[in-house]
Amino acid sequence: MSSFDVDLFVIGGGSGGVRAARIAAGYGAKVMLAEEYRVGGTCVIRGCVPKKLMVYASRFAEEFHEAQGFGWSVGETRFDWATLIRNKDREIDRLEGIYRTNLDKAGVEIVDSRAVIEDAHTVHVLKTGARIRARTILVAVGAHPTLEPVIPGGELGITSNEVFHLETQPKRVLVVGGGYIAVEFAGVFAGLGSQVTLLHRGDMLLRGFDDDVRAALGEAYVQRGVNLALGRTLTSLEKTSGGIAATLSDGSVLTVDQVLVATGRRPNTQGLGLEKAGITLDEVGAIPVDAYSQTLIPSIYAVGDVTNRANLTPIAIREGHAFADTVFGNKPTIVDHDLIPTAVFSTPEIGVIGCGEAAARAIYGDIDVYKTAFRPMKATLSGGKDRVFMKLIVDKATDKVVGVHIMGHDAGEMIQLAGIAVTMGATKADFDRTVAVHPTAAEELVTMRTPVVVKKPEAVG
């Protein structure tokens, strides 16, 4: 008789944990999953999905305006924040129900409670007091946004958790940060008609992205009326009769109705009991794991944002699936974290896979760069001012396309398909011999023929 109650105990019902539980159960494992909040995790409940719905909402005003160029008379329009939030919440409820149903169909037992680790094989379910003995434990608890750095009055700010539940639309918004979340919500509020200031300590948005894309997005946001406050930080917040007074590092004061802080996230490892099992966290509180998502304790694994490898939902899903294949399917699987297609749902949208120009030069040395910027066909009648930007980076030695960068309408959709080609190792010659689909914006990816000339620095001496 086995000394274990279950083969697998999953702590965390987000994307990675749910996928791991379902696949492991499909291999015949007895699986229990504990979630203290709502099944679906950050992405479904308070991340990618509700955010994308809000992004859609923010783009309609521009669509109504541009329709005039095509002969449409839209008439008076009005946006109701409460309707958006109510409908968004209904959709999230529906998706959570699907997640629960799929787990149930797979034979996974769901425990609606916080669970903590007591040793290498024991999990304590706090709601019931039960102690479950598990052959394998998977930690998939994700991460949470922080109000960092700590400043006087910082508690007046909100994070990306609370922004989905605001009762009213703030008319004046300060967004702090320059990454995915900050950029996306600045675009959402601007599109919905709020007065938006985007504050970032760097000189360009989206650190780590190609510099041409960063510059193009900054220009597009300024054109859309977003006030970019770059090279500055937030030093204090104070509640006043007129709203929230935000003091910046240059001494200027901005009065707004809401401050959204999107400066970082931390793994949800505090109080999880990992130290009892002998696991030492890294400097940011993440769980160190090997290529198979295994910790130094052989019976404990971790996937997703709690490991701080590549903090994206599809990666958590892939890691969870690979874990189940490895441990329960006898198919050892390693997830490649080096080549990941990704999208930023700003407006205009951004899609990227592979290296930016600077990184490619550092890695490959001799490269060719192809790029183009143009007004999309729709804008010829609509009068829209957004431009499309595309850039290909090619390793000269192999002719492989090592970077694709797109900014413009449906960039996220385009990069998913381009990502297949780049992941397969497509060369520039492969792109060149692909027949263009005309008229589309995406055809530019296969019609760029002449690399840009890069001026080399003159020799000194």
Side-chain angles (χ1 to χ4, degrees):
M1 177 180 287
S2 172
S3 61
F4 299 108
D5 300 307
V6 296
D7 298 305
L8 172 64
F9 195 107
V10 180
I11 305 177
S15 298
V18 167
R19 175 60 65 90
R22 289 177 57 198
I23 300 303
Y27 285 126
K30 184 178 181 181
V31 182
M32 185 177 289
L33 180 148
E35 170 54 54
E36 65 178 305
Y37 180 51
R38 297 180 67 180
V39 176
T42 295
C43 179
V44 173
I45 306 300
R46 52 197 174 195
C48 324
V49 173
K51 172 204 66 185
K52 186 72 179 289
L53 294 174
M54 294 176 79
V55 168
Y56 283 137
S58 72
R59 292 176 177 172
F60 279 104
E62 185 175 30
E63 292 289 332
F64 296 148
H65 175 73
E66 293 187 343
Q68 298 174 34
F70 291 87
W72 285 92
S73 297
V74 176
E76 183 180 356
T77 61
R78 184 179 66 87
F79 171 70
D80 183 63
W81 174 269
T83 298
L84 169 62
I85 299 303
R86 182 173 60 253
N87 290 343
K88 178 267 298 180
D89 288 344
R90 186 170 61 243
E91 173 62 7
I92 299 312
D93 290 344
R94 185 185 73 85
L95 292 174
E96 182 185 10
I98 291 173
Y99 267 64
R100 286 180 173 273
T101 298
N102 287 341
L103 285 169
D104 185 62
K105 286 181 178 179
V108 176
E109 182 179 351
I110 304 172
V111 179
D112 293 303
S113 170
R114 179 173 176 80
V116 298
I117 294 172
E118 292 200 336
D119 61 40
H121 291 283
T122 306
V123 178
H124 181 201
V125 179
L126 300 188
K127 188 175 182 179
T128 64
R131 284 173 169 80
I132 308 298
R133 292 281 294 168
R135 185 183 304 277
T136 302
I137 298 170
L138 175 67
V139 181
V141 294
H144 63 277
T146 64
L147 290 170
E148 295 179 352
V150 177
I151 60 170
E155 69 279 0
L156 295 173
I158 63 170
T159 71
S160 55
N161 282 355
E162 296 80 36
V163 74
F164 293 114
H165 304 289
L166 293 175
E167 292 184 0
T168 59
Q169 178 188 351
K171 297 304 180 185
R172 300 167 298 174
V173 184
L174 172 63
V175 180
V176 184
Y180 283 78
I181 297 172
V183 162
E184 289 171 340
F185 274 106
V188 166
F189 282 115
L192 294 177
S194 297
Q195 181 182 326
V196 179
T197 296
L198 182 52
L199 174 68
H200 178 47
R201 64 184 179 181
D203 59 353
M204 286 195 291
L205 304 170
L206 294 177
R207 181 171 61 89
F209 282 68
D210 183 86
D211 282 351
D212 282 336
V213 173
R214 300 173 73 192
L217 181 66
E219 292 171 4
Y221 265 31
V222 169
Q223 190 173 69
R224 287 178 168 273
V226 176
N227 174 32
L228 291 188
L230 302 177
R232 283 168 278 179
T233 58
L234 184 64
T235 59
S236 68
L237 296 175
E238 182 181 359
K239 185 68 176 176
T240 68
S241 59
I244 300 174
T247 301
L248 309 188
S249 55
D250 62 357
S252 62
V253 178
L254 183 67
T255 300
V256 296
D257 302 305
Q258 197 61 256
V259 178
L260 171 60
V261 180
T263 52
R265 297 174 64 85
R266 296 278 184 178
N268 286 322
T269 48
Q270 188 171 3
L272 200 58
L274 292 160
E275 67 284 351
K276 293 181 180 179
I279 295 175
T280 301
L281 305 176
D282 69 11
E283 63 276 5
V284 299
I287 301 175
V289 292
D290 65 13
Y292 293 98
S293 296
Q294 188 176 37
T295 71
L296 290 176
I297 307 305
S299 60
I300 300 179
Y301 291 72
V303 298
D305 290 6
V306 77
T307 66
N308 198 34
R309 286 178 285 182
N311 298 335
L312 297 167
T313 297
I315 294 298
I317 293 171
R318 183 66 63 85
E319 289 170 357
H321 200 132
F323 153 79
D325 283 344
T326 299
V327 178
F328 297 98
N330 197 29
K331 296 185 289 186
T333 305
I334 291 175
V335 177
D336 182 5
H337 293 85
D338 293 330
L339 199 58
I340 302 171
T342 187
V344 182
F345 293 104
S346 48
T347 304
E349 205 163 282
I350 294 170
V352 173
I353 185 170
C355 300
E357 183 175 345
R361 292 191 188 283
I363 295 170
Y364 301 102
D366 206 4
I367 62 172
D368 276 331
V369 177
Y370 301 80
K371 58 183 177 180
T372 182
F374 56 93
R375 183 171 65 160
M377 184 178 183
K378 183 180 178 182
T380 59
L381 297 189
S382 73
K385 292 182 169 51
D386 277 343
R387 294 175 65 78
V388 177
F389 173 80
M390 295 182 177
K391 185 172 185 177
L392 298 179
I393 299 171
V394 179
D395 173 22
K396 272 192 176 182
T398 63
D399 195 43
K400 281 188 177 181
V401 177
V402 296
V404 179
H405 307 264
I406 307 169
M407 188 184 82
H409 183 67
D410 278 342
E413 305 292 342
M414 283 189 265
I415 207 64
Q416 178 66 86
L417 299 178
I420 297 172
V422 175
T423 300
M424 292 177 68
T427 63
K428 183 61 169 65
D430 291 327
F431 273 58
D432 291 345
R433 66 188 176 87
T434 300
V435 176
V437 178
H438 181 75
T440 65
E443 69 181 294
E444 295 288 334
L445 291 171
V446 300
T447 58
M448 288 186 277
R449 292 290 187 269
T450 306
V452 298
V453 178
V454 179
K455 293 182 179 180
K456 296 182 178 180
E458 296 181 2
V460 178

